[in-house]
Amino acid sequence: MELKEHINDIRNRLEQKLFLNETAVRLGIVDRLLNALGWETFDTQRVFPEYPINGGRVDYALCHPPGKPIVFIEVKRVGNIEGAERQLFEYAFHEGVPILILTDGQKWRFFHPSGAGNYQERLVRELDLITNDSEESSECLLKYLAYAAVQAGIAVQTIVADYQKVSQQREALRHLPEAWENLLSGTSENSEFLIEAVQSETEYLCGSRPTHEQIFDFLNALSKGTGIDLDLQTTMQKTPERPKAQRQQRQVNGNEVKPASPDPRLRSESPRKEKYTAYFQELIDQLREQHNFTKVRRAMKGQHYYAFASGSTGIKYVAGFSKQQKVYLRLSINFGDREKNTSFFDVLEERKAKITAQFDVPLYWDRRDGDGVLRCHIDAYRKGSIDSDASALEAFRAWHIENLLKFKAVFTPEIQRARETLQSR
């Protein structure tokens, strides 16, 4: 009988609930599968039952060479697998065993105990003989438990390599929120590609390109599961509709057709946008190289502002130029929820006198009541335009740097204090 046939028969018996206790699991499932995997269970120097260790016993020690454990297997009755890792790991620690298996007959958990982290982080694979098909179950058991693979050292090499893959994937998963936050805030070099993709797709659908700020607001709201800002909705409702023939050009006679590439001359930056790009690139370079304020290396093309991460989710430091011929610096508060934004703003405003006393420039506190915009902000202004001469632009940049550093120094503890205050209420 092939391994897959054993697995199918065991699955049927599991579904009929024929394994009523731990002994039944050991005799009817574990011994049977070990035999099918090439282990001679009668050779107790290779399949060592009730292996004594440190005052306790592990259910199975699979040994190679004879008498030297290389795999520990702990067996529980069906449905009783949870919470048994600690004892098994203690056994492995004393013997230096590289492969641990915890099973209740139905579920099989394969651990690499030498890995880093807690028990769950050293879990390489979980197999379920009922939910996984026999092909997948067979491949897994052969990979980690086949006698030939263990004897040749392949099983150990495999579980080490698989642990490294799982660990890398787990580490990547941990950093996904930070990566997404960096993309949304514009602090990542790759933000430009995200914004460009959204702009291009929106233009394809309706004929108009949304602004960077509209996209940032939309993505922030979307990532927090909230609605779109009213000003974004209003703007998009006013966007002219692309003619029907253009909107339907993706399919012709049922076939997918890519839209014609736009004339590259139409996609080049205007002189003003080139000025914005140059201004913020120099600003970013100075902040990174001279003040260690940011790790960003590239400015967004043609954008009239740049949002820097504050180190606190939902809070940004924004440097920019307004349409009212002003150079501004902004503490932007946007948690994707109007009530949360205003509550946080109100806590900061309670300390308005102490905060403003630390600045040499006036601060303008804008709760944005009644305008339908989610975010609140605190601003500093001076007169100026991107069309000013080179010396004036250098003065604006110096002003931005001076006050960005000031904003960070003053608001970092205030942001933490506001969070603690709200949590205690």
Side-chain angles (χ1 to χ4, degrees), residues 117-402:
N118 57 34
Y119 306 141
Q120 192 63 30
E121 289 174 330
R122 284 180 271 186
L123 174 65
V124 175
R125 175 70 187 277
E126 178 170 311
L127 178 68
D128 190 314
L129 295 186
I130 290 181
T131 59
N132 294 113
D133 61 43
S134 58
E135 182 71 31
E136 185 177 4
S137 298
S138 177
E139 288 178 0
C140 180
L141 292 170
L142 286 168
K143 183 163 64 169
Y144 300 127
L145 263 183
Y147 174 70
V150 173
Q151 184 184 39
I154 297 172
V156 174
Q157 294 174 8
T158 300
I159 202 164
V160 170
D162 288 352
Y163 164 77
Q164 291 173 346
K165 291 177 185 177
V166 170
S167 181
Q168 290 168 357
Q169 291 169 355
R170 187 182 293 115
E171 192 66 16
L173 185 61
R174 283 175 178 164
H175 284 83
L176 274 177
E178 182 182 358
W180 184 238
E181 176 69 18
N182 289 345
L183 286 170
L184 294 185
S185 67
T187 58
S188 167
E189 293 184 11
N190 296 311
S191 294
E192 179 179 347
F193 303 109
L194 174 67
I195 299 305
E196 174 64 23
V198 176
Q199 282 183 321
S200 297
E201 186 65 15
T202 305
E203 184 180 27
Y204 179 87
L205 293 171
C206 68
S208 297
R209 292 169 70 82
T211 67
H212 286 73
E213 189 169 17
Q214 287 174 328
I215 293 171
F216 278 131
D217 287 347
F218 171 76
L219 291 176
N220 271 305
L222 188 65
S223 69
K224 295 175 174 61
T226 63
I228 306 171
D229 284 3
L230 182 61
D231 60 340
L232 175 60
Q233 289 177 322
T234 303
T235 302
M236 296 306 291
Q237 287 167 0
K238 293 179 180 179
T239 302
E241 184 180 14
R242 172 171 289 199
K244 185 176 181 181
Q246 282 184 285
R247 287 185 285 113
Q248 292 181 341
Q249 66 180 334
R250 284 193 175 180
Q251 286 197 346
V252 177
N253 298 326
N255 296 319
E256 187 79 8
V257 177
K258 292 183 178 180
S261 299
D263 187 333
R265 293 171 297 176
L266 300 177
R267 300 297 299 277
S268 61
E269 289 189 64
S270 67
R272 172 172 280 229
K273 287 186 176 181
E274 289 177 354
K275 291 180 181 179
Y276 283 132
T277 302
Y279 178 90
F280 286 108
Q281 186 62 61
E282 180 62 28
L283 175 66
I284 288 168
D285 290 343
Q286 289 189 31
L287 285 168
R288 183 185 68 254
E289 296 169 5
Q290 300 176 23
H291 304 283
N292 197 30
F293 182 87
T294 181
K295 294 181 180 179
V296 176
R297 293 187 173 276
R298 187 168 60 186
M300 302 287 284
K301 291 184 178 180
Q303 185 171 288
H304 67 86
Y305 72 97
Y306 200 92
F308 295 93
S310 69
S312 183
T313 302
I315 310 293
K316 308 294 179 192
Y317 300 126
V318 186
F321 293 85
S322 74
K323 294 180 180 179
Q324 291 76 33
Q325 301 294 300
K326 292 180 180 178
V327 183
Y328 70 85
L329 186 62
R330 171 171 298 161
L331 177 78
S332 175
I333 303 169
N334 188 3
F335 302 110
D337 180 276
R338 174 66 180 166
E339 184 175 349
K340 289 181 180 179
N341 294 345
T342 54
S343 296
F344 195 89
F345 179 90
D346 291 343
V347 173
L348 285 177
E349 195 171 29
E350 290 172 3
R351 294 174 55 82
K352 181 176 180 179
K354 292 183 178 180
I355 292 173
T356 55
Q358 299 179 67
F359 285 88
D360 297 327
V361 295
L363 298 183
Y364 300 90
W365 297 67
D366 194 345
R367 198 170 186 268
R368 303 300 292 268
D369 292 313
D371 63 2
V373 178
L374 283 174
R375 62 189 176 279
C376 305
H377 46 82
I378 303 168
D379 296 342
Y381 290 108
R382 66 171 291 170
K383 291 182 179 180
S385 165
I386 194 65
D387 296 320
S388 302
D389 61 30
S391 61
L393 290 176
E394 189 56 42
F396 300 157
R397 194 154 32 236
W399 182 87
H400 266 144
I401 291 172
E402 177 185 356

